Amino acid sequence: MHRFLGTVKISAESLLGILNDILDFSKIEASQLQIDNRHFNLPELLQKIVSIMSVPAAEKGLDLQVVIDPDLPVEFSGDDLRIYQILLNLVGNAIKFTFRGTVIIDVRPVSEQREDDMLALHFSVADTGIGIVAEKLRQIFNSFEQVDSSYTRQYGGTGLGLSICRQLTHLMGGGMWVDSVPDSGSTFHFILHLQPCSTAPSQSCAAAGGTSGIEVRNLRILVVDDNEVNRDLARMLLAGDHHVDTAGNGIEALQTLCRAEFDVIMMDVQMPLMDGLTTTAIIRDLEEGRPASEDLPEELVAELGAKLASGHIPIVAMTAHAMAGDREMRLDAGMDGYMTKPFQLAQLNQVFAALAAKDPAFGDGMSDGRTEGLAPCPVSEVDQEISPEQVAAFFRAGTNLTMEQSQRLLATVRMSITGNLAKAEEALRDRDYPALGVAAHTLKGTLLQCGINSLANLADDMYCGIRAGEQADCGRLLAALRNRLGGLLDEGGDGIQTR
């Protein structure tokens, strides 16, 4: 059943992609596609690409990298949605046609600039994949065209993606071309002229409702997550600018709300005892004077109801799932925002800025600023044992943690992985599949936060298989996790070293 559902999901996503391509192509052909200019943050845009594409890259053992000229401005005015669409398509193609090596997104200024206030940027996406023969290079941007029909059968797609990318580039006043060597890889290039903006966006440059210039401080934040690694990392990332408390499940969160006041709740969606959606529904019921939707101790309901009445605490969903419709489901449940894990400080700040843009009273203090930094690329995992040094390097690349904090977090990671592997192995021996599912889910969350994406997918396969009633692969998946994670197992020693 699990494999069947996976096939259905892949087929549905493929059909949706084809329909979106055809709709965009039709709009372009009918001259109905509009190009918008709005303020955007270039590193944040690239971060979104990496966050989405790091999982399929890691599944194939590819190293996804971003190189951005350090002298480039951070803020620009342009159609960030279309730039995002172009890059996502090019990176997706690069991953599709590459079986080993790297995919690199590169952004740098063009050497010869026009004499106006626009800045010409050279974007490129390079891969080490199968490449394109010379006689096919001119055809590659044609509508409904692939190098040959066998590509469609083997790799899928309509052949519209590159045509749309090139036409979008032309609509924004730029150009696109490709260099390629068969069996050595391809590099797709495009140049766009964009308006640089100041760090604090001006009225003429910033889009209405823009949030990249807002930094919120002194929030009282409750982080609710069943994974100890996620709780520790969130506390470390946020404690410098905010006051942070944590809870391990929905019941603990409700009890904590009775004891303290909070400006915002960061709510994990999947948790034991009480999940995030149920907890949110209870909070919203009590805020609006309705009976709680779940059976709870009368004393807790009375105390919490009196405290929450006529208020509204912003609740932001945290989840490792980013499937179509998930965002709407969380918002329909009464949540105010949505973010995917693994999370970085820039992502958290962006969520708080969006809440502040909706409500100027949100938080005790705001100052102009910007969130910087790209999401770090996943840990390289090609047929090798994962080392503590790799995980420590991943943490340092994506956070502002001190060396001491990185060591503490790495120690927590090793204890969590060791403990949950042991719980999983014991549960498998006892055929206690609910307990095995809990251990697999916790392992998945820890591995995602460490950038070990392909192994997180193995843990998720185990978890999903158990939920679907298919346990046959659990032993094989658990053995693969144990083998690859041997270097991270906690042997009880002290003084973990990081480079």
Side-chain angles (χ1 to χ4, degrees):
M1 176 64 73
H2 177 51
R3 289 176 182 170
F4 173 73
L5 291 175
T7 302
V8 171
K9 176 178 177 291
I10 291 170
S11 299
E13 289 175 345
S14 298
L15 179 59
L16 182 61
I18 291 170
L19 291 174
N20 286 336
D21 280 351
I22 292 172
L23 286 172
D24 275 349
F25 179 73
S26 300
K27 288 180 181 178
I28 293 171
E29 290 293 293
S31 299
Q32 293 180 348
L33 192 67
Q34 299 296 317
I35 297 298
D36 298 320
N37 282 317
R38 53 184 162 257
H39 184 272
F40 71 95
N41 181 296
L42 180 60
E44 287 178 3
L45 185 149
L46 297 174
Q47 175 190 329
K48 290 177 184 177
I49 300 291
V50 172
S51 297
I52 291 173
M53 302 309 297
S54 61
V55 172
E59 285 175 345
K60 298 183 72 173
L62 304 177
D63 186 13
L64 178 58
Q65 301 176 13
V66 172
V67 179
I68 182 168
D69 190 300
D71 295 327
L72 278 179
V74 173
E75 313 285 345
F76 288 91
S77 179
D79 197 331
D80 57 324
L81 177 62
R82 298 305 175 186
I83 298 171
Y84 170 86
Q85 185 178 356
I86 292 168
L87 286 171
L88 196 67
N89 193 294
L90 295 180
V91 174
N93 278 348
I95 292 171
K96 183 191 297 186
F97 295 109
T98 304
F99 301 100
R100 62 180 62 86
T102 59
V103 174
I104 301 174
I105 308 168
D106 186 286
V107 187
R108 62 190 61 220
V110 174
S111 55
E112 295 184 7
Q113 296 287 334
R114 299 189 319 202
E115 293 183 2
D116 57 18
D117 57 355
M118 306 291 279
L119 182 61
L121 296 187
H122 181 182
F123 296 81
S124 66
V125 176
D127 63 60
T128 56
I130 61 176
I132 307 165
V133 295
E135 57 268 23
K136 296 291 184 179
L137 285 177
R138 289 186 180 180
Q139 303 174 24
I140 200 68
F141 293 107
N142 292 345
S143 304
F144 301 101
E145 187 78 50
Q146 289 196 340
V147 172
D148 62 51
S149 59
S150 66
Y151 279 40
T152 303
R153 291 191 298 271
Q154 185 174 355
Y155 302 105
T158 60
L160 274 175
L162 289 176
S163 174
I164 292 172
C165 286
R166 192 177 216 181
Q167 292 187 68
L168 287 175
T169 306
H170 288 166
L171 284 172
M172 290 187 283
M176 177 176 286
W177 72 98
V178 60
D179 300 320
S180 187
V181 177
D183 300 322
S184 295
S186 303
T187 302
F188 284 82
H189 309 261
F190 64 98
I191 290 176
L192 295 176
H193 293 83
L194 300 173
Q195 171 71 59
C197 295
S198 59
T199 300
S202 65
Q203 186 66 32
S204 61
C205 183
T211 62
S212 58
I214 299 174
E215 184 178 351
V216 186
R217 297 184 183 276
N218 300 321
L219 293 174
R220 295 163 296 180
I221 303 170
L222 176 59
V223 177
V224 188
D225 197 305
D226 64 310
N227 190 301
E228 183 181 7
V229 173
N230 291 342
R231 294 198 302 271
D232 281 357
L233 179 58
R235 187 187 293 112
M236 291 178 187
L237 289 175
L238 295 168
D241 293 327
H242 307 283
H243 310 282
V244 183
D245 204 343
T246 63
N249 56 60
I251 295 291
E252 289 183 14
L254 296 176
Q255 293 168 340
T256 304
L257 282 174
C258 287
R259 300 193 302 267
E261 302 282 345
F262 294 97
D263 297 305
V264 61
I265 301 173
M266 310 299 295
M267 184 77 75
D268 187 21
V269 173
Q270 287 186 303
M271 295 182 290
L273 299 182
M274 181 180 288
D275 64 35
L277 298 180
T278 302
T279 308
T280 299
I282 291 171
I283 292 171
R284 297 300 182 233
D285 285 340
L286 296 177
E287 286 175 339
E288 297 174 19
R290 298 189 299 263
S293 53
E294 297 288 321
D295 254 349
L296 293 169
E298 291 184 8
E299 184 178 342
L300 176 63
V301 171
E303 186 176 357
L304 201 54
K307 192 164 189 178
L308 297 178
S310 301
H312 182 89
I313 302 176
I315 300 176
V316 177
M318 301 188 299
T319 177
H321 298 286
M323 293 171 59
D326 278 0
R327 178 180 183 275
E328 288 74 17
M329 183 175 68
R330 273 59 169 181
L331 298 183
D332 288 345
M335 293 177 166
D336 301 85
Y338 174 85
M339 60 181 289
T340 56
K341 296 185 286 188
F343 48 80
Q344 286 84 37
L345 182 60
Q347 186 184 13
L348 291 165
N349 286 337
Q350 191 174 23
V351 169
F352 298 151
L355 293 174
K358 295 178 183 177
D359 180 8
F362 179 73
D364 293 336
M366 292 194 303
S367 62
D368 289 336
R370 65 175 185 264
T371 55
E372 297 183 352
L374 295 171
C377 291
V379 171
S380 178
E381 309 170 39
V382 184
D383 297 329
Q384 63 182 17
E385 191 176 87
I386 307 299
S387 71
E389 290 79 13
Q390 286 176 294
V391 175
F394 178 84
F395 285 144
R396 290 198 299 273
T399 68
N400 58 354
L401 301 184
T402 65
M403 182 65 74
E404 181 183 355
Q405 288 175 319
S406 295
Q407 289 179 337
R408 290 209 317 264
L409 186 60
L410 182 57
T412 303
V413 165
R414 298 182 73 177
M415 286 189 292
S416 176
I417 289 174
T418 301
N420 280 288
L421 280 176
K423 290 176 183 177
E425 288 165 344
E426 180 180 0
L428 184 61
R429 285 195 302 270
D430 297 342
R431 297 187 179 182
D432 184 352
Y433 294 112
L436 180 57
V438 171
H441 174 67
T442 305
L443 278 168
K444 171 193 170 183
T446 300
L447 294 171
L448 275 177
Q449 201 60 64
C450 294
I452 312 173
N453 294 340
S454 66
L455 298 191
N457 290 337
L458 291 184
D460 189 47
D461 286 345
M462 191 188 315
Y463 174 72
C464 292
I466 292 167
R467 293 190 65 182
E470 297 182 358
Q471 296 92 16
D473 280 346
C474 287
R476 177 186 63 81
L477 292 169
L478 188 55
L481 286 170
R482 163 70 70 172
N483 181 54
R484 298 286 301 284
L485 293 171
L488 285 177
L489 299 185
D490 182 11
E491 299 176 357
D494 297 325
I496 296 170
Q497 299 297 314
T498 58
R499 291 176 192 163

